[in-house]
């Protein structure tokens, strides 16, 4: 069984600024030690997105494309990330709760000490992603693509994985017994097992 996933929470200072908009410059967005509430950054093309010790609360980044992404000690609460493209991103010590992230693109991303709960990642692209010490709890992964992804010390609890592509990448993950039984058809298909009536 993998060790418990416990990302380090953002370290917001007592005087951390509270923003209601993202400060975008020609190079992208770079924030540190900041709380961002209800900000909208939809369908933007960013050269960089660098967040360190940041909390995003109820923010909307739907459809945004960022080429160089680094999130360290970041918490996303109730954020909308539908169609956001964060390929090749680095996420370390990230907490995600209540996110709407359908069609999010994380192909080739590196996730370490990440916990995602009560979120929708339907049809998410995680091809060739590297996930280490990741906890997915009550996450809808219907139609997501894990082809060629590498998962180590990862845990899935209460997740929906119907129509998951690349399910063989789940080899070695930890799941509660009842979740493993519910996932049997998807796992059997990935392993080429024919299920009989």
């Amino acid at each position: 069984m993998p060790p418990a996933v416990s990302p380090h929470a953002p370290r917001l200072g007592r005087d951390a600024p509270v923003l209601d908009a993202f400060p975008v410059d020609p190079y992208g967005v770079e924030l540190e030690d900041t709380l961002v509430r209800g900000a909208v950054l939809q369908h933007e093309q960013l050269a960089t997105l660098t967040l360190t010790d940041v909390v995003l609360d109820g923010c909307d980044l739907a459809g945004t494309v960022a080429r160089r992404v680094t999130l360290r000690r970041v918490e996303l609460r109730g954020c909308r990330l539908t169609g956001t493209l964060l390929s090749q991103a680095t996420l370390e010590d990230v907490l995600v709760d209540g996110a709407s992230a359908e069609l999010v693109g994380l192909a080739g991303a590196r996730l370490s000490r990440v916990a995602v709960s009560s979120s929708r990642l339907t049809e998410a692209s995680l091809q060739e992603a590297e996930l280490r010490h990741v906890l997915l709890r009550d996450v809808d992964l219907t139609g997501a693509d894990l082809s060629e992804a590498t998962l180590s010390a990862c845990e899935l609890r209460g997740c929906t994985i119907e129509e998951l592509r690349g399910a063989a990448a789940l080899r070695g993950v930890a799941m509660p017994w009842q979740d493993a039984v519910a996932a049997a058809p998807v796992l059997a298909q990935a392993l080429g097992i024919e299920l009989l009536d």
Side-chain angles (χ1 to χ4, degrees), residues 17-33:
V18 178
L19 305 178
D20 61 3
F22 287 99
V24 181
D25 65 30
Y27 301 105
V29 173
E30 185 170 342
L31 288 173
E32 186 171 344
D33 188 29

Side-chain angles (χ1 to χ4, degrees), residues 81-186:
L81 302 166
T82 304
T84 301
L85 185 57
L86 306 173
S87 298
Q88 307 294 321
T90 298
L91 283 70
E92 295 176 354
D93 295 306
V94 174
L95 300 163
V96 180
D97 183 52
S100 179
E102 299 88 347
L103 300 166
V104 68
L106 289 164
R110 291 184 315 276
L111 287 72
S112 180
R113 295 177 311 280
V114 173
V116 182
S117 61
S118 305
S119 298
R120 292 182 46 84
L121 274 73
T122 55
E123 298 185 57
S125 169
L126 291 154
Q127 300 102 321
E128 299 182 11
E130 180 183 320
L131 287 74
R132 291 181 297 129
H133 301 282
V134 172
L135 168 64
L136 301 175
R137 181 185 299 274
D138 300 322
V139 174
D140 187 350
L141 292 164
T142 301
D145 192 348
L146 288 171
S147 301
E148 305 300 321
T150 304
L151 285 75
S152 62
C154 294
E155 189 175 324
L156 277 71
R157 292 185 165 275
C159 295
T160 305
I161 63 169
E162 278 82 23
E163 301 173 33
L164 184 71
R165 290 170 281 159
L170 295 177
R171 182 181 312 275
V173 302
M175 301 172 79
W177 175 255
Q178 64 272 19
D179 291 357
V181 170
V186 172

Side-chain angles (χ1 to χ4, degrees), residues 10 12 19 22 29 31 34-39 49 51 53-61 71 74-79 81 95 97:
L12 294 181
L19 305 178
F22 287 99
V29 173
L31 288 173
T34 305
L35 169 60
V36 184
R37 281 201 178 118
L49 176 61
L51 306 177
D53 293 315
V54 171
V55 175
L56 302 181
D57 188 11
C59 295
D60 188 346
L61 287 88
L71 306 182
V74 173
E75 184 173 350
L76 294 94
R77 304 178 197 145
C79 292
L81 302 166
L95 300 163
D97 183 52

